[in-house]
């Protein structure tokens, strides 16, 4: 084993136990013994040392400080602490999840899940938090951190510069999907979730706002963007604003007619979208049907082929 | 779909390339998607197609399983729509061949004995228009030529081993598609020129009328001036 790898493991353990007065030397000698004399696998050696130190110093499992790591360093099944900024909150897909979304620091981003059972204070978008004793999980190559009842979350005031892909962009792509939560919708006045029959999953019977919006996927053949079009954008493409949408819904005694109409007019069309990109989310500020001069485009491609 | 998960990009491929596909890749472990590997090395799970719906036929009466055929300039895609794709099925009812359609679909290989049949399972279908179709051809041509270049540059050794594709055949299919489109566009352009000239003539007339009006006004002013 390389010397620097050895030192990395020593440091990792030391960071977690230094507050209890554990010395680097102590860790080094135990690690040497297990790794070089007994040829124990690295993970087993680490676990054995951690368990041993905890026993020696009488540290309950839940109390053990987990090392503060950067998001780019997290690995599945690790218990870690990290500082991160809430970039986005998503609508939880299941009632067992209180909150889910995207968290980031200066090295990268990860998904996070706060289980309902953990009873944590609600996190807010744009605020930074210290997450202690969270466990790292991986699903389909995407790392996520899980907040359970043993985890602690504290809001912190330090400004975290998130390494992210964002800014004003212009993209051309095909609208390859239009989500069901599009059209003329009623949303909860408290949390903004889409409300069905006046009942918010979080807040029960609530007052609602009426909005016209479209959530869809813009796809340029190389990557996809989660696209949101507001009323203004929808109206500039289709002539359907909130007034027209309401009228349609009233005439058909059915709001879903608005979504059907939007699908008919927009699904499969090439759009040129300007807007703010935050990771995969593209919030359109303006949009138009993309109608390039085909002849010029064809001649360009043929030209590149020497024809 | 779980939010925040990577969504499969809808790839652009001509039917000729797609219909030569024989191999699948991926699908190792439960979580990895299965991809159709085309002879030019495209791994596709989802496709975006704009073409002409030529046929639409219920496989058996009242089976709610429809066979469709969608043409592009190089051939046609065979597709099946059933109740498992409710949105596509609903949309299909209102479509009557021949009609230009935009489709997102899953790419599949159907194995029948020692035969492998590439086909599409549309998730969504919508009626489309000539402009969208034309741009799809340009976009798909570009993507296909890029794949051909990658193979020529030796970047796709595994594909060459599996398929040993006749690059010239695929390349000429793309070029033919573009030439045909160019011809159509030239005809269209002539039509537009004619329209423009026509409009210019009308505008000249309008200008003339305006000048005359002004003269009349001037004259009347002159008359009133006294
Ligand atoms: Zn609510």
């Amino acid at each position: 084993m390389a010397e620097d790898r050895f030192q990395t493991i020593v440091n990792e353990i030391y960071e977690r136990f230094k507050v209890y007065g554990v010395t680097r030397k102590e860790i080094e000698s135990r690690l040497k013994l297990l790794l070089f004399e007994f040829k124990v696998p690295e993970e087993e050696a680490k676990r054995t040392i951690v368990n041993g130190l905890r026993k020696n110093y009488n540290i309950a499992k839940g109390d053990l400080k987990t090392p503060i790591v950067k998001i780019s360093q997290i690995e599945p099944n690790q218990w870690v602490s990290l500082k991160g900024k809430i970039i986005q909150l998503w609508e939880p897909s299941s009632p067992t999840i209180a909150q889910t979304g995207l968290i980031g620091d200066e090295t990268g981003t990860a998904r996070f899940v706060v289980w309902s059972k953990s009873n944590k204070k609600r996190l807010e978008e744009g605020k930074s938090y210290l997450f202690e004793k969270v466990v790292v999980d991986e699903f389909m190559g995407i790392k996520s951190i899980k907040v359970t009842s043993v985890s602690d979350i504290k809001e912190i005031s330090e400004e975290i510069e998130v390494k992210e892909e964002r800014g004003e962009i212009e993209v051309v792509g095909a609208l390859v999907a239009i989500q069901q939560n599009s059209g003329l919708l009623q949303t909860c006045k408290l949390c903004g979730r889409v409300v069905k029959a006046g009942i918010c999953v979080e807040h029960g019977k609530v007052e609602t706002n009426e909005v016209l919006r479209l959530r869809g996927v813009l796809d340029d053949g190389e990557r996809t963007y989660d696209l949101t079009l507001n009323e203004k954008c929808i109206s500039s493409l289709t002539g359907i604003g909130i007034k027209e949408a309401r009228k349609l819904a009233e005439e058909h005694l059915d709001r879903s007619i608005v979504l059907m109409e939007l699908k008919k007019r927009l699904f499969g069309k090439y759009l040129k979208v300007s807007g703010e990109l935050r990771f995969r989310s593209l919030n359109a500020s303006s949009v138009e049907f993309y109608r390039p001069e085909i002849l010029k485009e064809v001649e360009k491609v043929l030209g590149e082929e020497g024809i | 779909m779980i939010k925040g998960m990577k969504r499969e990009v809808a790839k652009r491929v001509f039917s000729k390339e797609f219909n030569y596909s024989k191999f699948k890749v991926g699908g190792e472990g439960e979580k990895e998607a299965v991809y159709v590997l085309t002879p030019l090395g495209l791994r596709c799970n989802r496709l975006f197609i704009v073409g002409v719906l030529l046929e639409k036929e219920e496989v058996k009466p009242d089976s709610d399983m429809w066979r469709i055929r969608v043409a592009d300039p190089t051939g046609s895609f065979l597709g099946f729509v059933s109740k498992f794709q409710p949105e596509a099925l609903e949309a299909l009812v209102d479509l009557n061949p021949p009609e230009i359609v935009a489709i997102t679909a899953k790419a599949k290989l159907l194995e029948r004995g020692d035969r492998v049949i590439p086909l599409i399972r549309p998730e969504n279908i919508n009626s489309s228009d000539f402009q969208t179709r034309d741009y799809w051809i340009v976009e798909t041509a570009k993507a296909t030529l890029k794949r051909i270049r990658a193979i020529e540059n030796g970047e796709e050794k595994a594909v060459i081993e599996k398929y040993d594709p006749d690059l010239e055949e695929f390349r000429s299919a793309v070029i033919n598609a573009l030439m045909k489109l160019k011809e159509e566009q030239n005809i269209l352009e002539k039509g537009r020129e004619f329209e423009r000239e026509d409009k210019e003539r009308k505008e000249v007339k309008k200008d003339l009328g305006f000048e005359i009006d002004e003269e009349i006004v001037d004259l009347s002013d002159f008359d009133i001036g006294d």
Side-chain angles (χ1 to χ4, degrees), chain A residues 188 190-193 200 202-203 206:
Chain A
C188 171
L190 297 172
C191 66
R193 280 191 176 91
C200 169
E202 174 87 13
H203 298 102
V206 284

Side-chain angles (χ1 to χ4, degrees), chain B residues 3-215:
Chain B
K3 286 216 170 114
M5 253 171 44
K6 189 174 161 283
R7 184 191 157 91
E8 289 293 341
V9 173
K11 300 291 172 63
R12 322 302 205 237
V13 59
F14 284 125
S15 59
K16 184 182 175 76
E17 178 184 342
F18 182 70
N19 288 339
Y20 267 96
S21 303
K22 282 185 208 142
F23 302 102
K24 290 180 210 170
V25 285
E28 279 158 35
E30 273 171 53
K31 290 167 183 174
E32 200 195 351
V34 179
Y35 298 85
V36 171
L37 181 73
T38 73
L40 296 179
L42 176 71
R43 288 156 50 100
C44 53
N45 168 278
R46 176 178 277 136
L47 302 176
F48 176 62
I49 300 162
V50 185
V52 184
L53 177 69
L54 285 181
E55 292 171 40
K56 155 189 154 182
E57 188 180 68
E58 202 164 16
V59 174
K60 268 183 246 151
D62 300 318
S63 63
D64 255 357
M65 165 75 97
W66 294 76
R67 187 181 67 84
I68 61 168
R69 193 167 280 282
V70 179
D72 70 10
T74 70
S76 64
F77 291 93
L78 171 67
F80 289 93
V81 181
S82 74
K83 60 177 188 294
F84 297 108
Q85 299 86 32
E87 283 194 64
L89 190 61
E90 209 187 308
L92 195 61
V93 175
D94 296 329
L95 297 169
N96 294 303
E99 183 165 354
I100 297 184
V101 291
I103 296 177
T104 53
K106 288 288 183 185
K108 302 278 177 192
L109 288 182
L110 181 69
E111 280 160 43
R112 277 287 146 86
D114 50 6
R115 270 205 336 142
V116 179
I117 306 162
L119 53 87
I120 60 168
R121 298 303 302 264
E123 301 168 300
N124 274 294
I125 308 180
N126 195 18
S127 76
S128 191
D129 53 71
F130 283 100
Q131 266 181 318
T132 307
R133 198 271 316 252
D134 292 349
Y135 188 63
W136 181 85
I137 294 172
V138 172
E139 213 187 26
T140 307
K142 277 195 217 168
T144 310
L145 293 169
K146 200 170 153 191
R147 290 196 280 278
I148 292 174
R149 275 194 291 275
I151 294 178
E152 285 171 341
N153 294 340
E155 289 163 33
E156 293 281 357
K157 295 240 156 49
V159 172
I160 298 172
E161 242 170 62
K162 279 199 158 103
Y163 284 104
D164 191 19
D166 182 346
L167 296 183
E168 211 29 62
E169 186 186 342
F170 287 111
R171 186 171 175 273
S172 66
V174 174
I175 301 298
N176 285 341
L178 289 173
M179 296 298 273
K180 219 166 100 191
L181 187 55
K182 188 178 162 180
E183 219 169 274
E184 284 170 17
Q185 291 297 312
N186 274 326
I187 294 167
L188 270 178
E189 192 56 35
K190 285 219 178 78
R192 279 196 214 109
E193 257 167 43
F194 181 75
E195 259 172 44
R196 265 202 298 273
E197 279 166 17
D198 204 38
K199 217 173 134 199
E200 275 163 20
R201 274 197 294 273
K202 276 177 194 149
E203 253 151 36
V204 169
K205 262 189 222 155
K206 223 166 77 189
D207 282 352
L208 221 61
F210 187 65
E211 276 169 21
I212 292 168
D213 280 349
E214 248 183 358
E215 270 178 36

Side-chain angles (χ1 to χ4, degrees), chain A residues 59-287:
Chain A
I59 309 161
K61 200 166 188 172
D63 287 344
L64 186 60
K65 291 272 181 261
T66 47
I68 294 189
V69 297
K70 296 295 178 200
I71 287 175
S72 63
Q73 301 170 323
I74 59 175
E75 292 295 336
N77 304 319
Q78 266 181 345
W79 282 84
V80 295
S81 297
L82 53 86
K83 289 176 183 172
K85 188 176 192 170
I86 307 296
I87 300 157
Q88 269 182 347
L89 290 170
W90 300 322
E91 281 173 42
S93 52
S94 141
T96 58
I97 296 170
Q99 282 187 295
T100 178
L102 205 60
I103 182 178
D105 68 11
E106 61 275 21
T107 68
T109 55
R111 293 181 56 191
F112 72 89
V113 171
V114 182
W115 297 112
S116 301
K117 275 189 179 168
S118 71
N119 270 321
K120 296 289 178 257
K121 235 184 96 189
R122 292 192 80 79
L123 306 172
E124 287 174 51
E125 254 181 35
K127 287 194 173 168
S128 298
Y129 299 88
L130 169 63
F131 290 77
E132 286 183 306
K133 287 170 280 179
V134 292
V135 66
V136 183
D137 191 7
E138 190 174 4
F139 183 65
M140 296 193 70
I142 297 167
K143 283 170 192 158
S144 69
I145 63 164
K146 304 270 148 91
V147 177
T148 68
S149 50
V150 304
S151 311
D152 287 315
I153 304 177
K154 286 182 206 117
E155 194 183 326
I156 51 175
S157 54
E158 77 185 79
E159 194 43 47
I160 294 176
E161 280 290 319
V162 176
K163 182 193 171 196
E164 61 170 319
E165 202 190 331
R166 64 173 294 176
E168 286 293 315
I169 60 157
E170 194 181 86
V171 201
V172 171
L175 189 63
V176 297
I178 296 174
Q179 316 294 6
Q180 281 307 112
N181 60 355
S182 301
L184 186 64
L185 306 167
Q186 286 181 305
T187 57
C188 171
K189 271 198 175 165
L190 297 172
C191 66
R193 280 191 176 91
V194 174
V195 163
K196 287 208 176 105
I199 308 287
C200 169
V201 282
E202 174 87 13
H203 298 102
K205 202 158 170 53
V206 284
E207 284 191 48
T208 58
N209 291 320
E210 195 165 44
V211 298
L212 178 67
R213 80 161 179 228
L214 184 143
R215 293 245 161 104
V217 179
L218 196 72
D219 183 321
D220 66 5
E222 312 244 307
R223 64 171 287 184
T224 65
Y225 303 86
D226 293 336
L227 178 68
T228 304
L229 298 180
N230 60 19
E231 188 207 340
K232 193 193 88 193
C233 290
I234 293 171
S235 165
S236 78
L237 287 173
T238 64
I240 301 174
I242 196 144
K243 260 193 227 151
E244 292 77 10
R246 277 189 191 132
K247 208 174 146 213
L248 264 175
E250 273 161 28
E251 278 168 9
H252 292 79
L253 302 170
D254 185 3
R255 300 175 166 272
S256 65
I257 185 77
V258 178
L259 175 57
M260 276 168 60
E261 200 55 40
L262 294 181
K263 278 186 181 165
K264 253 188 208 153
R265 297 194 195 196
L266 298 175
F267 174 84
K269 301 289 186 206
Y270 286 101
L271 302 178
K272 183 167 158 184
V273 179
S274 306
E276 199 197 14
L277 180 68
R278 305 194 70 183
F279 305 96
R280 286 169 34 205
S281 296
L282 178 58
N283 207 337
S285 51
S286 75
V287 60

